[in-house]
Amino acid sequence: MSLRIVVTVKYVPDATGDRHFADDLTVDRDDVDGLLSELDEYAVEQALQIAENADDAEVTVLTVGPEDAKDALRKALSMGADKAIHVEDDDLHGTDAIGTSLVLAKAVEKAGYDLVISGMASTDGTMGVVPALVAERLGVPQVTLLSEVSVEDGTVKGRRDGDAASEQLEAQLPAVVSVTDQSGEARYPSFKGIMAAKKKPVQSWDLSDLDIDAEEVGLDGAFTKVEAATERPARTAGTIVKDEGEGGKQLAEFLASQKFI
Amino acid sequence: MAEVLVYVDHVDGAVRKPTLELLTLARRLGEPVAVALGNGAADTAATLAEHGAVKVLTHDASEYAEYLVVPKVDALQAAYEALSPAAVLVPSSAEGKEIAARLALRIGSGIITDAVDLEAGDEGPVATQSVFAASFTTKSRVIKGTPVITVKPNSAAVEAAPAAGAVEALSVTFSDKATGTKVTGRTPRESTGRPELTEAAIVVSGGRGVNGAENFSIIEALADQLGAAVGASRAAVDAGWYPHTNQVGQTGKSVSPQLYIANGISGAIQHRAGMQTSKTIVAVNKDAEAPIFELVDFGVVGDLFDVVPQLTEEIKTRKG
Ligand SMILES: Cc1cc2nc3c(=O)[nH]c(=O)nc-3n(C[C@H](O)[C@H](O)[C@H](O)COP(=O)(O)OP(=O)(O)OC[C@H]3O[C@@H](n4cnc5c(N)ncnc54)[C@H](O)[C@@H]3O)c2cc1C
Ligand SMILES: Nc1ncnc2c1ncn2[C@@H]1O[C@H](COP(=O)(O)O)[C@@H](O)[C@H]1O
């Protein structure tokens, strides 16, 4: 019996680019180059490793996003995923985390799954809540924020490094997992992988394929509203001194002037 | 007056500081009612009362320690249903965000995470967030259901505001999903005796420039003179020089102290994401072109192995 793994990946604006908001206060996805969220590469990597260790497994990558989000799927396919699903619909523009989790949950169910693997957070929204929301919607265990993960005999195990303690977790499949950037470096696509990816199937679904009403998602369906976005004023230029033997003392003088010492 | 539910983050009854900050913010919106779960829940009441909790709902069961997240969601939902509060506030820890999100979904509400400020508005609480590696500030509202908002540490001052803090037992029935994810082992983090990174008033960080685990003693010595927490860049963590729990940045902790001292850290966008909102920023870096200098109030271009020990000595001398 094949282990069906679905990896949720997000196409995000490049963090090193000039990220900003569009007029409707959604994240501007047109003017900044996008890419597969680096944090979702870790999810793809763990999915591939789990698949390699299983007798028979299939890795599907799933994204919800605009046309360009296909780039993220291609990258994941060239890393080694078997097939891809792209949920794309004009009515999805402005969807918030609650709405995204609905679309992902419906798509995962339609695709068929034993294991969903997500990243720890998207690099644009950085909420880190979508995996927990998808688990809640699917009614399956959430085994999230794992720095180490393994699957054996229908059980997923992993280590979650929390604030107060490091925990060993365990759940039966089907389950939703998310992995951190401590889970292990993601592989680079090989030339062969890049060529092979071109032939791998990418399905496109829209909202009607998932039986979702337009009002449930997008800006109209959103549960939250951004009312204002202002660029943070640049920090006023500080004093910079070159150390010529007294740098530490000068720094101490500054700290004293600010009452830190 | 409307009640505002505040989820209590505590360790065996010792309330963590971000929860006390939440009580300050909750009082702007209504009367804070705290929910404390698990071992030591009732022991939190005195501290919570001192900081404004009118009521403290408590419940203890082994499920909270034995299973991940969902038992706590069940309990918070029970409190929500018992009270019909005007808002639900949860500390922005990794677990806090997951609990808050699942609650929001269950009660048909929206969720805002990582607020750095909250104020009452005509149409409900307005949350301030810092986004895109803190290069933008947004104001947002939950427009459906009861606002569920998670708030970052250091977002408000802790204020004493004595209130009744009457303890009431919360009645909780766990859902059949509560036992889905078993916690089979737990290794508590060892205490370093230094302040909690996210809560500290001063953070002293080291990056790749520190050049070795053993050299972090230089960073620690400065931190200890200042009563500060120790942070590290991802480069230093990935090199194995300092534990991941101390990483500052996008995939580490986000800190907002009064003073942040970056040593041998270049200031990559992902690092800035976790420290850019610090009140005063200081850096020591031998490269005058390092982007961290764009952020600083005071910077020293120099070798950290000269500058940092001299600074530590000078502080010691000044303290007498
Ligand atoms: C998805 C993602 C998430 C990330 N998350 C994080 C995160 O959470 N936190 C984080 O920090 N990074 C994160 N990064 C990594 C980030 O991009 C940088 O690689 C990292 O911050 C660099 O660390 P650094 O500044 O210590 O090292 P470098 O960039 O190598 O800088 C070292 C600096 O030390 C200076 N130096 C060297 N020797 C000395 C000396 N003797 N005295 C004084 N100065 C000296 C150098 O001039 C240089 O400026 C993330 C990256 C990605 C892609
Ligand atoms: N639009 C999306 N398409 C696919 N996966 C997503 C999307 N948004 C979020 N995710 C997944 O959920 C994780 C956490 O996202 P977030 O809660 O937005 O920080 C990401 O790392 C992805 O795995």
Side-chain angles (χ1 to χ4, degrees):
Chain A
M1 205 189 62
S2 170
L3 178 69
R4 297 163 303 169
I5 307 175
V6 180
V7 190
T8 63
V9 298
K10 191 174 184 186
Y11 179 75
V12 296
D14 187 349
T16 56
D18 181 20
R19 292 182 294 181
H20 53 268
F21 286 88
D23 291 340
D24 64 356
L25 297 180
T26 60
V27 174
D28 191 332
R29 300 184 189 277
D30 294 330
D31 293 345
V32 185
D33 285 342
L35 75 178
L36 166 62
S37 170
E38 286 115 326
L39 294 177
D40 293 345
E41 289 184 14
Y42 295 94
V44 175
E45 177 62 38
Q46 290 309 312
L48 295 174
Q49 288 190 21
I50 289 168
E52 284 156 9
N53 290 326
D55 293 336
D56 179 20
E58 184 179 55
V59 177
T60 304
V61 285
L62 164 67
T63 195
V64 177
E67 169 68 24
D68 291 347
K70 283 210 169 52
D71 291 356
L73 295 176
R74 281 286 164 224
K75 168 103 188 249
L77 290 173
S78 57
M79 287 172 72
D82 300 300
K83 58 193 180 81
I85 298 169
H86 184 186
V87 182
E88 187 189 2
D89 197 306
D90 288 345
D91 288 322
L92 281 167
H93 176 77
T95 305
D96 63 7
I98 300 270
T100 301
S101 69
L102 172 69
V103 181
L104 287 173
K106 291 261 191 174
V108 159
E109 271 175 335
K110 186 175 161 87
Y113 73 101
D114 301 297
L115 181 61
V116 177
I117 306 187
S118 300
M120 64 187 288
S122 53
T123 55
D124 53 351
T126 66
M127 292 180 76
V129 297
V130 165
L133 288 169
V134 170
E136 173 75 33
R137 288 195 185 270
L138 294 172
V140 303
Q142 79 163 74
V143 198
T144 48
L145 299 172
L146 303 182
S147 300
E148 218 174 72
V149 59
S150 64
V151 173
E152 217 170 310
D153 301 330
T155 301
V156 52
K157 291 185 185 175
R159 192 186 82 237
R160 170 169 164 130
D161 296 325
D163 279 347
S166 176
E167 293 169 329
Q168 296 293 336
L169 304 181
E170 191 176 311
Q172 298 304 305
L173 299 185
V176 174
V177 159
S178 76
V179 297
T180 72
D181 61 342
Q182 297 291 300
S183 59
E185 271 317 299
R187 67 194 66 187
Y188 287 105
S190 63
F191 178 70
K192 213 172 121 214
I194 294 169
M195 296 315 286
K198 297 192 170 142
K199 299 197 199 75
K200 290 178 179 171
V202 179
Q203 278 190 62
S204 281
W205 290 343
D206 62 14
L207 289 177
S208 65
D209 291 320
L210 299 175
D211 291 320
I212 297 172
D213 290 334
E215 301 83 65
E216 292 180 83
V217 294
L219 273 179
D220 290 344
F223 284 76
T224 49
K225 183 168 189 279
V226 179
E227 298 192 317
T230 42
E231 196 156 4
R232 202 183 164 77
R235 295 185 77 104
T236 41
T239 310
I240 295 175
V241 300
K242 195 168 173 338
D243 178 36
E244 273 153 2
E246 298 282 302
K249 289 186 178 156
Q250 286 169 289
L251 190 41
E253 184 54 41
F254 170 78
L255 296 182
S257 74
Q258 302 293 310
K259 308 264 182 298
F260 288 115
I261 45 180
Chain B
M1 203 171 164
E3 291 173 316
V4 175
L5 213 51
V6 172
Y7 181 85
V8 178
D9 185 6
H10 69 98
V11 180
D12 298 331
V15 181
R16 296 181 63 183
K17 186 163 152 256
T19 300
L20 303 179
E21 296 164 8
L22 276 194
L23 290 171
T24 299
L25 294 173
R27 279 188 281 115
R28 297 182 189 163
L29 310 177
E31 291 195 316
V33 174
V35 181
L37 306 172
N39 184 36
D43 301 338
T44 62
T47 310
L48 297 170
E50 263 169 53
H51 294 88
V54 295
K55 251 191 279 184
V56 181
L57 308 179
T58 63
H59 187 248
D60 188 11
S62 59
E63 278 83 350
Y64 297 120
E66 287 169 7
Y67 301 94
L68 192 71
V69 171
V70 187
K72 294 170 180 162
V73 182
D74 288 344
L76 194 55
Q77 185 180 10
Y80 168 83
E81 280 161 5
L83 246 65
S84 304
V88 181
L89 306 184
V90 181
S92 253
S93 60
E95 183 186 52
K97 292 203 274 190
E98 293 184 330
I99 293 169
R102 295 185 71 139
L103 174 75
L105 183 57
R106 287 186 185 185
I107 65 177
S109 294
I111 164 127
I112 290 178
T113 55
D114 296 324
V116 295
D117 198 9
L118 272 184
E119 56 207 301
D122 295 340
E123 297 166 287
V126 178
T128 305
Q129 287 163 290
S130 209
V131 303
F132 293 161
S135 58
F136 276 82
T137 302
T138 59
K139 302 249 184 216
S140 305
R141 250 176 353 98
V142 170
I143 52 174
K144 285 182 199 159
T146 304
V148 179
I149 302 173
T150 78
V151 182
K152 279 195 178 182
N154 277 348
S155 294
V158 173
E159 290 165 9
V167 178
E168 280 179 30
L170 178 68
S171 135
V172 180
T173 314
F174 292 120
S175 63
D176 58 351
K177 302 287 183 253
T179 54
T181 309
K182 205 169 173 22
V183 179
T184 55
R186 175 179 281 117
T187 319
R189 222 174 73 205
E190 273 175 45
S191 165
T192 58
R194 296 194 179 90
E196 198 62 46
L197 186 54
T198 52
E199 301 170 10
I202 303 180
V203 174
V204 179
S205 284
R208 202 194 304 271
V210 175
N211 199 27
E214 64 288 358
N215 299 336
F216 256 87
S217 58
I218 298 175
I219 304 297
E220 290 179 336
L222 174 57
D224 292 344
Q225 274 306 317
L226 292 164
V230 176
S233 74
R234 176 161 151 189
V237 170
D238 283 355
W241 302 340
Y242 223 67
H244 179 251
T245 41
N246 295 72
Q247 183 178 314
V248 172
Q250 186 184 5
T251 55
K253 301 276 161 49
S254 146
V255 302
S256 200
Q258 296 300 318
L259 173 63
Y260 187 85
I261 307 184
N263 303 291
I265 292 177
S266 63
I269 184 84
Q270 295 89 356
H271 187 78
R272 294 161 80 135
M275 49 66 75
Q276 189 150 214
T277 58
S278 305
K279 308 294 173 298
T280 298
I281 299 175
V282 165
V284 179
N285 194 306
K286 67 181 181 191
D287 175 10
E289 305 297 321
I292 191 80
F293 285 124
E294 292 161 19
L295 300 180
V296 300
D297 296 283
F298 195 90
V300 180
V301 179
D303 192 322
L304 71 89
F305 292 98
D306 299 329
V307 178
V308 174
Q310 188 181 66
L311 171 60
T312 308
E313 268 315 303
E314 181 67 18
I315 297 172
K316 212 182 276 174
T317 315
R318 282 174 186 246
K319 286 204 298 200

